[in-house]
Amino acid sequence: MESNKFSESSGLTSAKIKRLAREYGADAVGIASMSRFEGAPKELDPRYIHPQAKSMIGFIFRIPRGYLRGVEEGTNFYMYPSMGYASINENVAPFVLHNVGRLIEDH
């Protein structure tokens, strides 16, 4: 059984969440109060999906510049859709989300 990255007795903090997310591949992490969405249109307000939520965690995953260079030059198109977009959305982001979700649920 894999050991937890953070001891369960040590309390969950935003710093721990951010550190773990970066360790697993997120380039940046932000945590905001749900009150930040006051006045947002209903379709953009996450409180309509999960009204009990107190905070929103956002992750940033960069697409390396080289993936777009071939597209711009008209010489190589496959790098962006396969390595940039698909790799982030199908591999990197789910891995980060899964592990951060486990950390949160374990606390």
Side-chain angles (χ1 to χ4, degrees), residues 94-107:
F95 182 74
V96 173
L97 296 172
H98 173 78
N99 285 292
V100 171
R102 285 178 45 202
L103 172 70
I104 294 168
E105 287 184 357
D106 286 350
H107 285 79

Side-chain angles (χ1 to χ4, degrees), residues 58-80:
F59 303 100
I60 294 175
F61 302 95
R62 67 188 162 116
I63 298 173
R65 179 80 179 99
Y67 293 172
L68 298 171
R69 189 169 178 192
V71 175
E72 292 169 350
E73 294 173 354
T75 59
N76 185 352
F77 184 72
Y78 82 91
M79 292 299 286
Y80 170 70

Side-chain angles (χ1 to χ4, degrees), residues 25-65:
D27 290 297
V29 185
I31 301 175
S33 168
M34 294 302 268
S35 65
R36 180 153 177 92
F37 295 95
E38 287 295 327
K42 182 177 178 180
E43 61 274 8
L44 299 176
D45 189 339
R47 295 173 297 178
Y48 283 92
I49 296 170
H50 198 322
Q52 296 84 12
K54 297 178 182 171
S55 300
M56 168 71 75
I57 304 172
F59 303 100
I60 294 175
F61 302 95
R62 67 188 162 116
I63 298 173
R65 179 80 179 99

Side-chain angles (χ1 to χ4, degrees), residues 79-101:
M79 292 299 286
Y80 170 70
S82 63
M83 297 302 295
Y85 182 82
S87 177
I88 290 170
N89 289 309
E90 295 176 11
N91 299 312
V92 179
F95 182 74
V96 173
L97 296 172
H98 173 78
N99 285 292
V100 171

